[in-house]
Amino acid sequence: MPTTVFDQFTRRTADVTAQLTTLGIPLTTLGIPLTAPAPPPADLNPADPWASSYPVPVDRSTLAWCTAVTMLADHHHTGIDRQVLAADALLRELGVCGLAQLHSDLHAGAPVDFRFTRCPYCSGIGEDPAQPTCGEVGCASCLEYVGHYHVCPVCCGEDFQPEWFAEERVTELEELLADAIEEREERASLRYRIRARLCRRTVRT
């Protein structure tokens, strides 16, 4: 059992790497090496917007790739071997920041508020888990407030603190609900007045 949040990242990478290694031994026809080969260079066709322009090999032992393939496999309820190429494409085309787009896509395209939803890459600590911590490097504490380079590239440093933001969120939701009720009552009142006026006209005629 991991003792710290950073231990979780090491375990996540080790678990995925072990699964890939296991899959690559018996499935000789599948063959999943830990480094994805670079795709063949695409014909430069400016008329084809889908032509890939990123012939970069992908390291399948990085935390970002392991996070992407885990998110995809969990969402689609499949083994990671079914999501290897999708994770390759994501990291090749969008890099680590593509994890935020992937997270949003898996939420049906809705924007993800990382104050309430734990960041899949940094698990809510707000720092880039692939970089050394400020304590290890010895960064000045004042750098914490000036866009420090250790900030997580996926959630951009948003703290996962639902208990801190919950009261504010509940207040906002109550205001939205009150506005919706008031608007519904106004519409109902308008419908009643229109119906009453139409009934009066019908009676007169």
Side-chain angles (χ1 to χ4, degrees):
M1 189 72 183
T3 56
T4 67
V5 176
F6 285 94
D7 290 340
Q8 295 177 13
F9 305 136
T10 304
R11 193 178 77 166
R12 183 192 307 168
T13 306
D15 287 347
V16 173
T17 304
Q19 290 183 58
L20 288 176
T21 304
T22 303
L23 288 168
I25 295 172
L27 302 177
T28 54
T29 57
L30 184 63
I32 303 177
L34 290 181
T35 301
D43 296 331
L44 294 177
N45 181 7
D48 182 8
W50 300 103
S52 174
S53 57
Y54 300 95
V56 181
V58 174
D59 184 357
R60 291 175 176 159
S61 63
T62 61
L63 177 63
W65 189 91
C66 292
T67 301
V69 78
T70 303
M71 289 170 64
L72 286 163
D74 289 346
H75 179 75
H76 294 289
H77 306 291
T78 65
I80 63 171
D81 55 309
R82 299 283 299 276
Q83 307 300 333
V84 164
L85 297 180
D88 286 349
L90 177 79
L91 267 294
R92 185 179 285 123
E93 301 288 333
L94 300 176
V96 177
C97 293
L99 293 172
Q101 182 63 50
L102 173 63
H103 202 194
S104 175
D105 291 344
L106 297 183
H107 282 78
V112 177
D113 189 345
F114 290 109
R115 296 175 305 170
F116 296 90
T117 303
R118 198 181 295 276
C119 174
Y121 184 56
C122 74
S123 295
I125 62 172
E127 298 181 27
D128 188 344
Q131 298 290 334
T133 64
C134 291
E136 292 170 345
V137 179
C139 301
S141 58
C142 62
L143 295 177
E144 181 181 353
Y145 305 101
V146 291
H148 203 31
Y149 68 91
H150 293 298
V151 169
C152 174
V154 175
C155 67
C156 298
E158 287 282 10
D159 285 334
F160 175 69
Q161 294 184 341
E163 69 284 351
W164 180 265
F165 295 101
E167 186 175 346
E168 177 186 344
R169 172 65 65 86
V170 168
T171 302
E172 290 175 0
L173 292 176
E174 286 177 345
E175 290 174 357
L176 290 172
L177 180 60
D179 292 343
I181 291 171
E182 183 179 348
E183 184 178 347
R184 187 180 67 180
E185 289 175 348
E186 288 176 358
R187 287 181 179 173
S189 175
L190 178 62
R191 282 197 301 269
Y192 174 78
R193 291 199 304 269
I194 292 173
R195 192 180 303 120
R197 190 167 293 177
L198 288 174
C199 286
R200 273 191 235 122
R201 285 184 182 174
T202 307
V203 170
R204 285 176 187 168
T205 56

